[in-house]
Amino acid sequence: MGGKNLVKPQAESRDIGLEEKESNFCDQKQKAEKLTIEELRCFKGFETVSESEGQDIIESLFRLAVILNDF
């Protein structure tokens, strides 16, 4: 392994980054607005979804967005 200089990030800088990320996520989550049924129906393939089916789709999309944002 000779000759390769690996730069290791300092723990302090990583901790600050994680704290900022968590703080930003909390701010975004509070400001998040869910898609409405009318907005969902504007997308191709969703024009005729029922009210209950639309609510299920919107809730699923919102949960997916939260999971992806956490990742």
Side-chain angles (χ1 to χ4, degrees), residues 22-34:
E22 288 174 9
S23 174
N24 289 339
F25 175 70
C26 291
D27 293 341
Q28 291 172 357
K29 191 173 179 181
Q30 290 173 349
K31 295 177 187 177
E33 294 183 27
K34 289 185 182 177

Side-chain angles (χ1 to χ4, degrees), residues 4-21:
K4 289 189 178 181
N5 293 328
L6 299 176
V7 178
K8 295 182 181 178
Q10 295 177 348
E12 295 90 20
S13 63
R14 278 196 306 186
D15 291 341
I16 291 170
L18 291 174
E19 289 172 8
E20 289 175 3
K21 184 178 178 182

